[in-house]
Amino acid sequence: MTTNTPEQFIATTKANLEAQFASLTSLNKKAFEGLEQLFALNVNAAKASFEEGTATAKQLLSAKDPQEFFALSAAQAQPNAEKALAYGRHLATITTATQQEFTKAVEAHIAETNTKVISLIDEVTKNAPAGSEQAVTALKSVVGNINAGYEQLSKTTKQAVQTLEENLTKATQQFTQAAEKATAKKK
């Protein structure tokens, strides 16, 4: 049965490489989808900004006196703040969704790879020569430590993303309140 071990190892290695290639391809696809969404968001925002800027400039140029000019300028503050907030929210949604897809794909890949590695170790240890128990135990310990390290990294990353999202939400709320106060004072 020890003659099957090299063939099993080769087959398992090949399957793992194919799975890694498929995983990288999937991650690249998700990255490009996120970039496409960001590109579309920025193009649409630039187009809308240009059109609105042109309309606002025409409106400001038609002002009859400085008071009307400043009143028209002040009237633009709230809509501009709301548009900036909407852009920020949309950007955060795209970024968060892309990050979640990446995390889900990476976690699935690591879980699958981990299962395969443990299965391979178990198969190899069945055919291990006598006296190699310490090496097998050490190998299993290394795999366990790698898994524990990944779980800690994953947990830390999720906490960082959650903190970033909370900070973005707070900043958005503060910006909205400040814009509303500024608009209310000018009225």
Side-chain angles (χ1 to χ4, degrees):
M1 189 145 179
T2 56
T3 57
N4 288 338
T5 303
E7 290 82 13
Q8 289 173 334
F9 183 75
I10 290 170
T12 302
T13 302
K14 180 181 176 188
N16 282 336
L17 288 175
E18 289 171 352
Q20 287 177 356
F21 181 73
S23 180
L24 287 174
T25 300
S26 175
L27 289 175
N28 281 335
K29 182 179 179 188
K30 291 176 190 327
F32 278 112
E33 288 171 357
L35 287 173
E36 283 177 333
Q37 291 174 351
L38 288 174
F39 182 73
L41 174 66
N42 287 330
V43 167
N44 291 336
K47 186 188 289 185
S49 179
F50 177 73
E51 291 170 358
E52 292 164 4
T54 302
T56 300
K58 288 179 182 177
Q59 189 180 26
L60 291 173
L61 289 173
S62 69
K64 296 179 177 81
D65 56 43
Q67 287 179 330
E68 184 180 355
F69 178 85
F70 289 117
L72 291 171
S73 294
Q76 296 300 315
Q78 181 69 26
N80 288 340
E82 290 171 359
K83 289 172 191 161
L85 287 172
Y87 175 84
R89 285 187 201 112
H90 200 145
L91 182 63
T93 300
I94 291 169
T95 304
T96 300
T98 301
Q99 185 273 334
Q100 288 172 347
E101 286 294 318
F102 260 65
T103 300
K104 190 166 64 173
V106 167
E107 286 175 350
H109 177 70
I110 287 175
E112 180 182 339
T113 300
N114 185 39
T115 302
K116 288 178 181 179
V117 167
I118 289 172
S119 175
L120 179 63
I121 290 171
D122 288 342
E123 188 64 33
V124 168
T125 57
K126 288 178 189 175
N127 300 318
S132 62
E133 293 83 14
Q134 287 182 338
V136 169
T137 302
L139 183 59
K140 287 183 178 182
S141 177
V142 167
V143 170
N145 288 339
I146 289 170
N147 287 335
Y150 168 73
E151 288 174 10
Q152 183 60 39
L153 177 65
S154 179
K155 182 180 176 183
T156 303
T157 301
K158 287 178 182 178
Q159 289 173 343
V161 168
Q162 182 180 4
T163 301
L164 178 65
E165 289 173 354
E166 290 170 358
N167 289 339
L168 180 60
T169 301
K170 287 178 186 176
T172 301
Q173 289 171 348
Q174 291 173 352
F175 184 73
T176 302
Q177 292 170 355
E180 288 172 355
K181 286 179 184 177
T183 303
K185 285 182 182 178
K186 290 183 180 183
K187 288 181 180 180

